[in-house]
Amino acid sequence: MTTSAIAQNARKRIKTDDGFFLPEPSRLEKMLGPEWARVIRGLLTNPLSVTGLVVVILFITVAAAAPVLAPPLNAMADPYQIPRDGFGPTPQEPGTLWERSVPPIPFWYESVTGKTEWVHLFGTTSGQFDIYYGIVWGTRTALLVGILVVFAGLFIGLIVGSISGYYGGVVDDILMRITEIFMAFPFLLAALTLSAILVPLFGRGIWPSVIALVSFGWMGYARVIRGDILATKERDYVLSARTVGARDGTILLRHILPNAIFTTMVLASLDVGAIVLTFAALSFLGVGTDIGYADWGQVISFARSYILSLDTYWYIIVYPGAALILFGLGWNLIGDGLRDVLDPRMKK
Amino acid sequence: MTNYLIRRVIQMIFVILLSAGATFFLFNIAPGGPLSGLQQQQQQLTREDIARIKAQFELDLYLPVRFSRWLIGFPSGPITVGGQELFADIPVGCYLVREEQTTDRNGNTVTRPTGCDDYVYLSEIPELHPAVRSSKGILRGDFGLSTVVRPGRPVLDELLSRLNATLELLVTATLLSLLIGVPIGIYSAVHQYSRFDYFFTTLAFIGSSMPVFFFALLLILVFSVMPVFLQDTMPWIPRLPSGLREAMRGYSIAEWLPRVEAGSLWDRLLHLAMPLMVLTFFNMAGWSRFVRTSMLEVLRQDYVRTARAKGLRENLVIYKHTLRNALIPFVTILVLTIPGIFSGAIITETVFAWPGMGRLYFDALSRSDWPIALAFIFITAVLTVFALLLGDILYTVVDPRIKYK
């Protein structure tokens, strides 16, 4: 290859003010900044994380299309309440005809299943709650809970961590001791306890568990952002901002946080899967959502009274369990890809 | 180091006291509790009945007084100095609440407490809450009496009676996962990207994506339900008991195997098998991954390259130069199993009806037995804080480069 060809292949270079040549930023980098561009490119070039992305996007699609995939009984009904076919105590196997209070049939149903009437695609639990409906709408619950908990935790963690890291001294000491108090309880134990206490206060639903998971889920973020802020606040541009008389709030919000927040954001996004698994565990144990709420853990918890006849009623645990594993797997695959991008030393 | 330790211990006491206070107030402010069942029958009960029942749970005392009695068992009566009772007529609680019926904004009749008809004075405590009933305070090792799960029984006895089962399960699981997980981690790191590595990486991935309760249910399905289902076609498959710690009477797990006597060693082992599998699988998945990552990091260090360059045998490089350094961060994880071993495994114990700590706690929590729940949380918090300190100290032992000031 001739030198001119190499020059043509290489990315265009731009000259900076002080005479250095830098590669011209790509379109992605211009749009998102160099760090996010690196993350996106890293994720899209790794087959494992692409698989994870596909799985997660699939779940998002199911959640968005829930009213079409599993239409609620009528416009008045609460869509998160699984419709029930009577009240019989015996679970019914997949393919049983739906007899009482049948929801409207969506347009895709006949061509996909070849049937003209609703059947219980994945069977029913005891009490005749439709498992298929529970899984479809449970996707919404899972995504909602995962994202809500992570964002709220991130919010608290950012406030505590950045105040602690920026001001240091006594403030730092006090805030970090408070963080330690929250860390003195094992996560599952603490979340279980708090949501059990909150149930009489908020009534059954997703809120007790969500609040409990947020309350004991922010400490990790606070500690990471604190460390990153400690490193960032010594940078020259922070010093220059201070010399021109910028206020603390401005320095923290405009100059330090945007440059320190990156790792924490990525860490948080990895937690969505783990949070949803814990939420399902809480539902399974029976603290949190009410019986018949569209939530995967809630559906599996029906199996608790049928443990010794699981061979007949396998569909109560297998379908929602598969949804849970797939969901966790998707987020974990993305998380693993992200970790490779963030810590390139670990790659070969 | 001494200064550091003193400071850490002081901080630790502070953290423990605050977390004890926070949990106590949280449990006591929360609606429900031991009196929640009363609400339905409130119509038939007189004010005096309710007062008497409340007094039974010490709910007639003010919250700070209750907290202090719970923590250190003080005050247990008037303070006697030189034969003279001090502060005897200080009100510490209210036995009969004065109530007033008013109409709120929406026109509903509500009962509001407006004052107190009968105060509890310090001098009345020995009579109302005699020392037998009251606790010496958790800091002095007395956790009070259970209210719902085993009414009237000391919480400490109840905890101790469950400790054996939990230790049996958790200690075995921890040791087993160490014995399996650490070697797998080492081998995976040394043979990175081999088939072995890929297999266990996949397994660890499944482990982190699978809910514990689902795995436990799957095991029950495979090992104790399916064999019964297949009895006609494949009668030789043994089936495992799906719950409890030992059987009530003898049973046989397969026709060709001898009958298992209830309470025998075999019976115990068979009951232990499935919960042990669950805990070991999840611990092993996490720990082998951790050891692998930290081994890989150390294998990249310059001194490992030097050791190889000077022609050291590979075994020596791996076990002496790499492994010993790679296991340093593992100390932190290992010490944190200490509170876990005490508090048991809530989900696993619940699914397999294992009569351990975790299940006791879950029972106490769902039936609002606050004394048991509080004692359990307090001990767990103390153990966690101690474990963190122990981890930091052990760090300096295994890695002399680290010094605390």
Side-chain angles (χ1 to χ4, degrees), chain B residues 340-391:
Chain B
I341 282 176
F342 165 79
S343 62
I346 297 178
I347 297 174
T348 314
E349 286 181 5
T350 307
V351 174
F352 291 106
W354 187 261
M357 289 290 208
R359 191 148 159 264
L360 173 70
Y361 178 68
F362 185 60
D363 268 1
L365 194 64
S366 39
R367 292 162 69 187
S368 305
D369 192 328
W370 294 159
I372 290 187
L374 276 171
F376 183 87
I377 291 193
F378 179 76
I379 298 175
T380 312
V382 170
L383 285 178
T384 313
V385 176
F386 263 103
L388 287 172
L389 178 69
L390 185 69

Side-chain angles (χ1 to χ4, degrees), chain A residues 231-301:
Chain A
T232 314
K233 77 172 181 183
E234 304 298 330
R235 304 288 279 270
D236 289 342
Y237 55 80
V238 177
L239 188 67
S240 62
R242 194 163 294 155
T243 8
V244 299
R247 273 174 303 152
D248 280 354
T250 321
I251 298 179
L252 192 57
L253 288 178
R254 295 279 297 279
H255 300 289
I256 298 184
L257 259 189
N259 291 301
I261 202 172
F262 182 67
T263 325
T264 320
M265 294 279 278
V266 173
L267 271 182
S269 70
L270 307 185
D271 283 346
V272 175
I275 290 287
V276 170
L277 292 193
T278 315
F279 179 78
L282 293 182
S283 286
F284 174 76
L285 287 175
V287 282
T289 54
D290 211 350
I291 293 171
Y293 194 87
D295 160 43
W296 299 332
Q298 164 63 38
V299 175
I300 298 182
S301 76

Side-chain angles (χ1 to χ4, degrees), chain A residues 184 193 197 285 311 317 329 332, chain B residues 30 208-209 214 229 361-362 384:
Chain A
T193 310
I197 292 178
L285 287 175
D311 54 328
I317 65 164
L329 208 61
N332 278 337
Chain B
S208 62
S209 316
F214 180 68
F229 186 63
Y361 178 68
F362 185 60
T384 313

Side-chain angles (χ1 to χ4, degrees), chain A residues 173-338:
Chain A
D173 262 350
I174 293 175
L175 286 178
M176 284 299 112
R177 289 301 88 71
I178 294 176
T179 316
E180 268 168 31
I181 293 174
F182 278 88
M183 291 174 79
F185 307 102
F187 181 58
L188 181 72
L189 179 75
L192 176 70
T193 310
L194 190 58
S195 55
I197 292 178
L198 288 178
V199 164
L201 211 61
F202 287 87
R204 301 188 74 88
I206 60 169
W207 294 111
S209 310
V210 166
I211 293 173
L213 289 173
V214 171
S215 309
F216 289 95
W218 55 272
M219 294 87 74
Y221 311 140
R223 283 160 74 103
V224 173
I225 193 78
R226 174 179 169 271
D228 283 344
I229 280 182
L230 283 179
T232 314
K233 77 172 181 183
E234 304 298 330
R235 304 288 279 270
D236 289 342
Y237 55 80
V238 177
L239 188 67
S240 62
R242 194 163 294 155
T243 8
V244 299
R247 273 174 303 152
D248 280 354
T250 321
I251 298 179
L252 192 57
L253 288 178
R254 295 279 297 279
H255 300 289
I256 298 184
L257 259 189
N259 291 301
I261 202 172
F262 182 67
T263 325
T264 320
M265 294 279 278
V266 173
L267 271 182
S269 70
L270 307 185
D271 283 346
V272 175
I275 290 287
V276 170
L277 292 193
T278 315
F279 179 78
L282 293 182
S283 286
F284 174 76
L285 287 175
V287 282
T289 54
D290 211 350
I291 293 171
Y293 194 87
D295 160 43
W296 299 332
Q298 164 63 38
V299 175
I300 298 182
S301 76
F302 278 106
R304 276 174 68 188
S305 26
Y306 286 92
I307 281 185
L308 287 181
S309 27
L310 277 182
D311 54 328
T312 335
Y313 306 131
W314 52 271
Y315 39 85
I316 302 180
I317 65 164
V318 169
Y319 291 122
L324 263 174
I325 292 180
L326 211 59
F327 191 86
L329 208 61
W331 283 101
N332 278 337
L333 284 173
I334 298 180
D336 220 46
L338 276 175

